[in-house]
Amino acid sequence: MPRRFIALTSLAAGAAIAITVALAVPALAKGTTQASITGPGLARPVAVSVTAGSEALPGQGDALSRLASQTGLFTVLFGPNIGDASMPDQPSRLRMPPAAATLGPRYTVTYTVPGIAPAPGQASGQVRQYLYPRAAGGPVIYTPPGQQGFGGPLQAAGWLRGTPRLTATLTQLGVPAGASLPSAPSSAASVPAAPAPAAAPKPNDVTAPAWLIATIASAVAIAIAGTALWLRRRPRPATDRRVTDRPATQETSSEPRRQPSAHPE
């Protein structure tokens, strides 16, 4: 019985692990595979991609990884504390939306991100950002809220201030270069119809996906049920069995037998 119990428990645990791995494969795709940039001065979209079978990830040196880091894609996907050491060119959050007169021409970058559920009419998951490479004081990035990330909304959205390297990267990719705008007075009107930055949840507040919790709970339940079944069916120790080593017909009394009286009363 113990061997059978061990075999059944191992089989159940293996099945649970296999299901977990199978369901986790889409969630393990954490990077972008392609970016498309559109905007003024571009006759056709600028496409930036990686080699087939690979992804742009934080800290890598390819063009798509640099662009994604400099526009804050990994920040909006994973939270503001991702890759601080490996991404020195990542943008910083702006507490207030910039004035519309300070932004300059707007470009749109659309990232293709495997693992994100595609919206209706889309073949794959996407994240859209607006780029202002000639904004006063340095490039500005805006991520519209309401977009989907891995298993839920994006971890961060709103306005970011990029580094000068973002402007240089866009120029190398073919975005027309131009002089940055001078700083505008603080009384200038804000960007019309631009919602305030969405509150970014703290990394510690991010919960595990529901499918992962369900799979772990199922594996634990199977293990508990198997243990209970084994404890119920295991043989009881033979401590209360009666052992009779002596025949029942033998007399064990040591008292002498009484002789019959010769004189009847």
Side-chain angles (χ1 to χ4, degrees):
M1 183 62 69
R3 294 181 179 178
R4 182 180 179 184
F5 165 72
I6 294 174
L8 291 175
T9 304
S10 301
L11 180 61
I17 293 174
I19 294 174
T20 302
V21 173
L23 293 176
V25 168
L28 293 177
K30 297 296 186 182
T32 176
T33 57
Q34 186 177 8
S36 177
I37 305 174
T38 59
L42 297 177
R44 61 181 61 88
V46 175
V48 188
S49 60
V50 292
T51 58
S54 61
E55 298 173 353
L57 297 170
Q60 294 184 355
D62 60 279
L64 184 56
S65 296
R66 292 196 305 270
L67 177 65
S69 299
Q70 293 167 4
T71 64
L73 175 65
F74 303 123
T75 299
V76 302
L77 285 175
F78 308 119
N81 296 326
I82 181 70
D84 292 337
S86 60
M87 298 190 301
D89 294 332
Q90 66 178 342
S92 57
R93 177 170 293 277
L94 289 175
R95 296 185 178 181
M96 296 295 295
T102 67
L103 292 176
R106 185 184 80 177
Y107 294 85
T108 302
V109 56
T110 303
Y111 291 101
T112 299
V113 184
I116 292 180
Q122 296 180 354
S124 57
Q126 296 179 351
V127 175
R128 184 179 73 260
Q129 293 181 306
Y130 298 138
L131 310 179
Y132 302 88
R134 306 177 198 171
V140 173
I141 307 103
Y142 178 71
T143 305
Q147 301 184 76
Q148 290 297 309
F150 296 110
L154 294 175
Q155 295 292 306
W159 294 95
L160 299 172
R161 172 73 71 182
T163 66
R165 291 190 180 183
L166 173 58
T167 303
T169 298
L170 293 174
T171 302
Q172 293 174 359
L173 293 175
V175 176
S180 299
L181 299 176
S183 299
S186 57
S187 59
S190 297
V191 179
K202 298 179 181 179
N204 294 335
D205 295 338
V206 179
T207 57
W211 61 263
L212 180 59
I213 297 175
T215 303
I216 295 175
S218 299
V220 173
I222 292 173
I224 293 176
T227 304
L229 181 62
W230 176 70
L231 293 175
R232 182 178 180 182
R233 294 187 176 182
R234 68 174 182 175
R236 297 181 179 180
T239 57
D240 55 349
R241 296 180 180 178
R242 296 181 179 179
V243 180
T244 57
D245 296 332
R246 301 177 182 177
T249 57
Q250 293 182 357
E251 296 181 4
T252 59
S253 176
S254 60
E255 297 181 359
R257 297 182 179 180
R258 297 178 61 183
Q259 296 296 330
S261 177
H263 302 283
E265 298 180 357

